[in-house]
């Protein structure tokens, strides 16, 4: 069983998934987004991580990252997804 913290959002005419990861994943030279495509098929994946101050940083498609950076994380419908 796999548990993922994140959100599925429809915005900018696109349905996309946000997956919360640890900060070091964003700093890794390898792109972790393909690993999550099997859980959110057909959706662009945006990775999200919080720094030591609780500020979110996003990685993914530029338009989606810019949108997320422009809103408060409180507006994102976070939830926990469980896959078997």
């Amino acid at each position: 069983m796999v548990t993922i913290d994140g959100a599925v959002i429809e915005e900018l005419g696109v349905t996309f998934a946000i997956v919360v990861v640890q900060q070091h994943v964003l700093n890794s030279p390898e792109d972790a987004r393909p690993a999550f495509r099997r859980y959110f098929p057909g959706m662009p994946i945006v990775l999200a991580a919080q720094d030591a101050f609780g500020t979110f940083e996003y990685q993914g498609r530029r338009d989606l990252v810019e949108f997320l950076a422009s809103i408060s994380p409180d507006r994102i419908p976070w939830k926990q997804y469980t896959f078997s």
Side-chain angles (χ1 to χ4, degrees):
M1 198 171 304
V2 174
T3 301
I4 296 173
D5 292 322
V8 173
I9 297 178
E10 184 176 346
E11 192 64 49
L12 306 173
V14 178
T15 300
F16 64 98
I18 306 168
V19 176
V20 177
V21 296
Q22 293 182 355
Q23 185 71 35
H24 71 86
V25 174
L26 293 188
N27 298 330
S28 171
E30 292 192 28
D31 184 2
R33 288 176 291 152
F36 295 104
R37 288 200 174 104
R38 64 187 270 197
Y39 302 110
F40 302 99
M43 294 183 213
I45 306 292
V46 175
L47 301 179
Q50 286 182 292
D51 65 16
F53 302 103
T55 303
F56 273 95
E57 180 181 342
Y58 302 99
Q59 183 183 83
R61 225 172 84 176
R62 178 183 215 125
D63 59 335
L64 303 177
V65 166
E66 288 175 358
F67 165 72
L68 292 170
S70 74
I71 66 168
S72 169
D74 294 338
R75 291 186 49 204
I76 298 172
W78 301 108
K79 70 181 262 186
Q80 198 168 67
Y81 297 87
T82 302
F83 302 91
S84 51

